[in-house]
Amino acid sequence: MSTPHFDFDSPQRQSTIAILLVILKTLKVLFRQIALPFFVFVVMGKKGSDYGTYFVVFICSISFISMVYSIINHFRSFYYIANNELVVHSGILGKKKLSIPIERIQTINFEENLIHKLFHVKRLKIDTAGSGEKELELAAIDNPKAEALRNILLGNKEHSMVFDTQMPKREEVIFSLDIPDLIKAGLMENHLRSGGLILVFMWWIYANLQEVGINAEDYIEEVEKPAFSINLFLLGIGFFILVSLIISLFRTVFKYYNLHLSRSGNGFKISQGLLNSKTISALDHKIQTVSWSDNLLKKLMGIHDLKLKQASSKTVESKESIIVPGCSYRHIMQICQYVFPSWSPNLFTFSKVDKSYLYRSYYFSIILGLLAIGISYIFKNNTAIYGIVVLVAFLMVMSYLGYKKLAYGYNREWIHLKGGAFGDKHVVSPIFKTQSLKISQNPFQRRKNLVNLTLFNASGSESIPFIPRETALIMSNYVLFKIEIDKRHWM
Amino acid sequence: MVNNMENQEPIAEEATFHNDQVQSLNLPKMEDVVYEPLQPSHMYVNLIVVGIIFLFVLAGVTVLSFMVEEVKPYFLIALVVVLALFGFLTLAEIKAFKFRGYALRSHDILYRDGWLWKSWMVIPFTRIQHLEINQGPIDRIFDLASLQLFTAGGSSSDIDIDGLTPGQAADIKSFIMSKNAEINEGDVDTTL
């Protein structure tokens, strides 16, 4: 693909589509804020209190002002490249100049939503690693211009960013999700989490209704209270499960639609998404950890979620990770071969953590349970006690399974942690990419001479709890030795 | 394999390598270092801060007890709790100060802190992103300074050494910078 020439030395403006995006974003925010009061006042025909009306007027005017501000700002802001720095000017009242040295740019990602797709523009996100204050976003840039800008910004890097820029486009798709896979992955999601989202959403509606001066409880009392029956209870649970299932299915399909993980040069590129499509690139040497996990359902189907975590500033950490749902074990091994060529799953002898780790979880569950039972007893709520007993038993079973699976292994090059409760979790990280380490000890561990060891890398940290102090020191000394003699770039 | 760990070829050959427990008997031991204590005035500053907070809480409890009739009977209990907490915090600071300290080796810096909950942190010099010397208004009165070491591992992996003299902080900073310059002179392998 030949890219047309753009002169980035002179100030450039974003595409005018940016204005449209600003307007749409304002409408979206506005809609979120006033949809509920509007629904209540107009649709339900309830006469709004003065407070409610003022609230709506206030929100509308604030949104309008911020929209006008953003539009003026669009005409006042421009970007250019000078002295090996990407410079962005913006601001109306207070002028702002942000300059990023090109060699400090770590990742450049494109994002497109429906509007972007319609008008052939892209949102450009630029991230520098280390301190989190320097991230930059250009809301809309014409496609060829965006490509050209990325090539220039990445092309200047000496050793790292050859990927996808100077290399001829030779992309090999190594993993993709088709619709049946996607549905399978969606159905196997953690439905408890989706269920939790529903609860949060319901709470949000409730809280918002109160905010505009409507007491939801008045309405609840209007509804005739049905007699509590076991059938109704089961029906409720069934409904809850169904809704959770549908939500997680939709979430998965929207997020991972048309997912393609491809390999080109010395990096990976993943693109995904139905309405908002997103492309993330990761170079091998920037990947800090590879982890994969499943849950009970996924385990039965033999699929895992794979995660490639790369170095980036902390504020955008989760967005910069490559997450591939619905991977088979074979795919994981294949991807690991690219990132960590010398790693293999059978290189390790795994050790377990001390049994008192399990006992501690037991004590916590029991103490928590006893407290809850005590409170229920004071409030004379005997049915709650059964629930608490079941919950404590569940927590203890989970702790037991978690303890059974928790294990750590390491050799001269890698550290490999195993965990999970109902599912399994694996984390693999090269030792030399460790940034710093921490040993900690609480008063209960001191008696048994146990400690926790935490290894920090540029994409997060991994902890090994309750191991003998001597073991932790041997590991720490080796990790430090490895970091200090290894001259490879960790990022 | 114990002795020639340093001479091993890098990873390319390691796929066939099948031993895993690393017996690092000959490696430098972090447990052998002697930690250098911090300035005693640092402890006094911390104790003064605890004391001021205690006075505020005490004033709050007293005022509340005499203003609100319902709280009055619990005044004595509240007083005991606040005093016990103050005693505990004072003891914790004194004990922690005895343990608190830093140590420099030729390749890394160590820092330990805590009393009941103890922690030891190590950052290799090559992993330090940048260093910062800070001196607040209270620090200036007591001629103290703090040295912050930032890594790419996020804020929980950074070390913040309070209670140095400004001279010490500057010395440590320049020591680390010169060591890093020394290390960086060697060739850097960019594979993987």
Side-chain angles (χ1 to χ4, degrees):
Chain A
M1 193 171 76
S2 69
T3 44
H5 184 73
F6 291 101
D7 178 24
F8 289 109
D9 295 342
S10 61
Q12 302 281 320
R13 197 162 277 160
Q14 296 186 42
S15 163
T16 11
I17 304 303
I19 299 176
L20 182 64
L21 289 169
V22 166
I23 296 170
L24 285 173
K25 193 179 164 189
T26 312
L27 288 177
K28 200 168 120 189
V29 172
L30 201 60
F31 180 75
R32 263 191 210 161
Q33 292 290 335
I34 65 167
L36 203 70
F38 183 80
F39 176 77
V40 171
F41 295 139
V42 179
V43 182
M44 287 172 72
K46 184 166 169 85
K47 205 164 154 31
S49 61
D50 284 349
Y51 175 68
T53 321
Y54 287 138
F55 178 75
V56 172
V57 171
F58 176 70
I59 294 286
C60 284
S61 31
I62 292 276
S63 307
F64 184 72
I65 292 169
S66 95
M67 184 174 84
V68 171
Y69 185 89
S70 301
I71 292 171
I72 298 174
N73 194 26
H74 169 78
F75 290 104
R76 300 286 296 243
S77 58
F78 48 91
Y79 61 94
Y80 56 90
I81 295 173
N83 301 325
N84 260 331
E85 285 187 342
L86 175 67
V87 187
V88 179
H89 282 267
S90 64
I92 301 169
L93 299 173
K95 290 236 169 114
K96 225 169 94 183
K97 181 185 163 190
L98 185 68
S99 54
I100 299 182
I102 290 179
E103 76 267 9
R104 281 198 53 208
I105 291 173
Q106 287 302 329
T107 50
I108 298 177
N109 291 324
F110 290 151
E111 277 179 32
E112 295 171 277
N113 63 27
L114 214 57
I115 305 295
H116 285 97
K117 278 182 187 162
L118 272 175
F119 293 97
H120 303 287
V121 294
K122 282 191 164 78
R123 176 188 292 139
L124 204 65
K125 275 187 160 175
I126 292 172
D127 177 36
T128 60
S131 46
E133 74 264 24
K134 283 210 172 173
E135 281 117 43
L136 200 134
E137 204 181 295
L138 296 169
I141 296 182
D142 296 327
N143 277 348
K145 214 173 178 179
E147 288 284 347
L149 185 61
R150 178 162 81 160
N151 288 354
I152 288 176
L153 295 180
L154 293 181
N156 282 20
K157 310 222 76 175
E158 330 130 27
H159 47 256
S160 51
M161 297 294 186
V162 270
F163 163 59
D164 207 19
T165 59
Q166 292 151 4
M167 291 281 291
K169 286 243 185 233
R170 193 175 47 81
E171 282 185 17
E172 179 200 351
V173 175
I174 49 179
F175 182 78
S176 62
L177 276 177
D178 52 20
I179 299 290
D181 285 340
L182 199 59
I183 290 171
K184 197 162 90 176
L187 289 175
M188 303 296 128
E189 269 301 306
N190 187 348
H191 298 302
L192 284 176
R193 199 171 51 197
S194 303
L197 279 178
I198 300 177
L199 289 180
V200 169
F201 178 68
M202 275 159 45
W203 174 81
W204 180 82
I205 289 185
Y206 179 75
N208 270 273
L209 279 173
Q210 281 200 326
E211 205 168 296
V212 293
I214 298 164
N215 195 348
E217 272 161 27
D218 297 344
Y219 290 90
I220 291 169
E221 269 167 30
E222 278 173 25
V223 185
E224 205 177 311
K225 251 199 179 141
F228 180 82
S229 75
I230 198 82
N231 283 339
L232 200 71
F233 182 68
L234 288 176
L235 198 72
I237 287 192
F239 180 72
F240 188 71
I241 291 174
L242 190 72
V243 172
S244 305
L245 203 104
I246 291 168
I247 286 189
S248 33
L249 189 62
F250 269 90
R251 264 161 48 94
T252 311
V253 170
F254 272 83
K255 197 169 169 198
Y256 297 114
Y257 178 77
N258 197 21
L259 180 140
H260 285 279
L261 178 71
S262 52
R263 176 83 190 158
S264 80
N266 53 348
F268 292 96
K269 197 166 140 184
I270 191 168
S271 54
Q272 62 186 52
L274 184 60
L275 297 178
N276 298 302
S277 61
K278 201 165 127 181
T279 308
I280 300 176
S281 319
L283 289 153
D284 292 349
H285 65 88
K286 282 191 61 198
I287 293 169
Q288 309 284 315
T289 58
V290 172
S291 63
W292 62 97
S293 59
D294 55 20
N295 58 32
L296 204 57
L297 289 171
K298 287 183 179 171
K299 200 174 174 176
L300 290 172
M301 302 295 290
I303 56 173
H304 313 258
D305 292 335
L306 176 75
K307 204 169 177 183
L308 307 175
K309 272 190 181 176
Q310 56 174 335
S312 67
S313 50
K314 293 294 125 181
T315 44
V316 287
E317 189 199 303
S318 57
K319 289 178 200 148
E320 296 303 326
S321 301
I322 287 190
I323 301 170
V324 193
C327 265
S328 69
Y329 191 66
R330 193 174 55 81
H331 277 123
I332 291 169
M333 291 305 120
Q334 189 194 348
I335 290 164
C336 282
Q337 278 309 302
Y338 286 119
V339 200
F340 298 154
S342 71
W343 177 83
S344 143
N346 38 29
L347 285 178
F348 301 88
T349 1
F350 286 93
S351 315
K352 301 207 59 62
V353 306
D354 194 82
K355 226 174 165 123
S356 42
Y357 177 66
L358 174 63
Y359 297 148
R360 187 193 61 165
S361 310
Y362 280 171
Y363 297 148
F364 271 131
S365 317
I366 290 170
I367 289 170
L368 217 68
L370 285 178
L371 270 174
I373 286 173
I375 292 167
S376 319
Y377 188 76
I378 292 169
F379 287 98
K380 299 205 164 45
N381 189 344
N382 288 331
T383 38
I385 293 175
Y386 298 112
I388 292 163
V389 171
V390 172
L391 201 70
V392 168
F394 178 75
L395 278 178
M396 285 171 76
V397 170
M398 245 178 72
S399 311
Y400 178 73
L401 292 172
Y403 166 74
K404 275 279 174 205
K405 286 191 178 152
L406 191 62
Y408 63 99
Y410 72 109
N411 60 18
R412 295 181 315 156
E413 197 60 35
W414 313 101
I415 184 142
H416 186 160
L417 302 179
K418 292 201 284 194
F422 294 107
D424 283 288
K425 189 177 181 203
H426 292 260
V427 182
V428 179
S429 184
I431 287 177
F432 84 93
K433 295 205 174 186
T434 305
Q435 299 291 317
S436 69
L437 64 86
K438 182 181 182 178
I439 294 176
S440 61
Q441 188 178 48
N442 67 38
F444 312 103
Q445 292 173 322
R446 192 160 315 146
R447 250 182 328 127
K448 295 191 160 178
N449 212 14
L450 297 170
V451 297
N452 308 320
L453 174 66
T454 309
L455 300 177
F456 298 90
N457 61 43
S459 70
S461 66
E462 305 304 334
S463 283
I464 312 171
F466 289 78
I467 53 172
R469 183 170 173 271
E470 285 66 36
T471 315
L473 285 170
I474 290 173
M475 278 181 81
S476 302
N477 288 328
Y478 179 68
V479 168
L480 291 169
F481 161 77
K482 181 74 184 166
I483 297 171
E484 286 154 13
I485 62 149
D486 206 309
K487 299 286 184 223
R488 282 173 290 172
H489 276 298
W490 51 267
M491 193 173 85
Chain B
M1 79 124 301
V2 173
N3 299 327
N4 52 16
M5 194 120 54
E6 220 158 337
N7 305 325
Q8 294 286 343
E9 287 294 308
I11 52 163
E13 283 81 34
E14 279 187 25
T16 51
F17 180 70
H18 276 274
N19 164 31
D20 306 316
Q21 176 84 51
V22 178
Q23 300 290 341
S24 37
L25 296 169
N26 296 331
L27 295 177
K29 290 190 171 111
M30 66 175 271
E31 57 271 37
D32 288 348
V33 301
V34 179
Y35 287 84
E36 293 179 47
L38 299 162
Q39 296 298 317
S41 48
H42 164 59
M43 180 180 77
Y44 301 137
V45 171
N46 284 349
L47 287 177
I48 289 167
V49 170
V50 170
I52 290 170
I53 292 170
F54 165 72
L55 283 179
F56 271 105
V57 174
L58 198 66
V61 168
T62 315
V63 168
L64 203 69
S65 305
F66 284 92
M67 304 257 299
V68 186
E69 209 52 46
E70 287 83 28
V71 185
K72 224 170 189 171
Y74 303 104
F75 175 65
L76 217 61
I77 301 170
L79 197 65
V80 170
V81 170
V82 171
L83 274 174
L85 207 64
F86 174 66
F88 178 79
L89 287 177
T90 308
L91 183 68
E93 175 55 30
I94 293 169
K95 290 275 190 188
F97 177 77
K98 281 186 186 156
F99 185 69
R100 200 175 293 151
Y102 67 94
L104 287 163
R105 298 195 294 178
S106 47
H107 285 278
D108 45 29
I109 181 161
L110 295 83
Y111 181 70
R112 64 174 193 187
D113 195 7
W115 167 40
L116 293 174
W117 277 262
K118 285 185 159 67
S119 72
W120 294 259
M121 291 223 44
V122 193
I123 304 182
F125 295 152
T126 52
R127 296 293 185 264
I128 293 173
Q129 295 286 86
H130 71 279
L131 298 122
E132 224 174 83
I133 295 176
N134 290 316
Q135 199 180 28
I138 301 170
D139 288 340
R140 217 160 289 149
I141 298 170
F142 290 88
D143 195 33
L144 291 171
S146 71
L147 178 68
Q148 277 177 289
L149 309 159
F150 297 92
T151 70
S155 59
S156 47
S157 71
D158 299 338
I159 289 182
D160 192 353
I161 308 176
D162 289 334
L164 298 164
T165 63
Q168 277 176 320
D171 286 349
I172 298 171
K173 186 177 170 179
S174 60
F175 175 76
I176 292 173
M177 307 241 292
S178 70
K179 276 288 173 190
N180 252 350
E182 221 172 90
I183 294 163
N184 284 338
E185 266 170 30
D187 278 338
V188 173
D189 179 7
T190 57
T191 50
L192 194 112

